[in-house]
Every structure is written in C-alpha cells, then in structure tokens.
Amino acid sequence: MMKIGVLALQGDFAEHKVILKNLNVEPVEVRLPRDLEGLSGLIIPGGESTTIGKLAVAYDLMDPIRDFARSKPIWGTCAGAIFLSKNAKKEQPLLELMNIVVERNAFGAQVDSFEADLDIEEVKKASGDPAPFHAVFIRAPIIESVSGSARVLAKISDGRIVAAIEGHLLATSFHPELTNDVRFHQYFVSLCSKN
Ligand code: GLN
C-alpha cells in the first residue's frame, strides 16, 4: 500500500489522514526526519504557519523535507502552502521550495472565512468529474504571484490565485481536507504514484 506522510506538528493533520485512508493510502504522521523514510509524498496541513515553521526548525525537519522534495511530491494546504513558499513577506521559517509569494490572512480575520465553488480544470480532468470544487477558506492566504516554473491552478472569481503547482509541489489556500470531496487528494495521490 502506498504511504503518504502528513506533517503532524500542528494543525488539521487528522482530517488529511481520514481522506487518505478512504483512498486506500496509508497515512503516516511525520514529526521527525526518520518518519520521512519510505513515503511516496508529504502533505503539510492547515494550521498556523509560524508555529509549524518554528516546530519544524526545532525538530530539525527543514533540510530533510527540502531533500525529500527533490524527488517526492509535497502538498501544502493553507498554512502548509505558506510554509512551502519562497516568500511570505514576514520573518518566519519557510521551506522556500515553491516560487510563489503569499499574502497571509489576505481575506481578513476568522469571521471573514468563506466558501466558494472553484473550477479547477486539471483536477476535474484528472477525476473525470466536472462538478465545481467546493473550497473552504479559513483565514486563508492568497498566492499573490507565481514565478519560475510555478503555474496557476485555480483562481477565485475576482481573479486572485488560490492554488498553484510547480513540478510535483502543490499549494492550495483552501482546505480540501475539510470537505467530502476527495478529488484534490486523488489528484495528489496520482502525482505521488508518478514519482
Ligand atoms: N492564517 C494561518 C497562517 O497564516 C493559516 C490558516 C489556515 O491554515 N487555515 O498561518
């Protein structure tokens, strides 16, 4: 059975584990560098990106995750997307793996959290299901810009970027793990099976 890691330092890693299990993937909680062994991919959950970053530094995970990313897919949801970015316009530990600039809390406070239906062609095509993707945004970042080999995967109706891909690295501002729609996880699992 394929094993996919979920960084379990802080945030909603349990929700990702449930969806992976439903897709017949074995989820593995990652807290230490040795937990990365034998994994086909890694998910970095939503939560608080500064906390996740500080804990990753404390557990000596920064370079092992960067090494892992050379050959294996990584997907960051919300705080995880921030942690993957090259630039979050604030002093905080970042993996600096993706050529994206993010703006944290771009939609305002917790009360300004919202949900939106997104058309994400690539994910629709991969699943064969053309229904829009219901996306949950909780104190979400926007992806202000993409550069290098990063490209836009999804935008909200006002044109702001909320998902990007760069090779086998994936970033979403929203939380597919908080819905019943498994297509994004399926899409990530298919990236992992290609590597
Ligand atoms: N606001 C959080 C941050 O900046 C992200 C929120 C989330 O992951 N839902 O880290």
Side-chain angles (χ1 to χ4, degrees), residues 7-13 16 44-57 62 76-84 88 90-94 102-106 108 110 138-141 173 175 177:
L7 191 65
L9 300 175
Q10 189 265 338
D12 70 340
F13 53 89
H16 279 289
I44 304 175
E48 216 291 318
S49 58
T50 312
T51 308
I52 293 174
K54 283 183 181 166
L55 290 170
V57 169
M62 299 297 277
T77 60
C78 204
I82 296 166
F83 189 41
L84 274 176
K90 283 196 172 80
E91 256 327 292
Q92 67 182 85
L94 298 175
V102 299
E103 164 96 32
R104 289 179 61 185
N105 304 323
Q110 194 84 25
I138 303 169
R139 292 193 73 211
S173 305
H175 293 273
E177 73 278 18

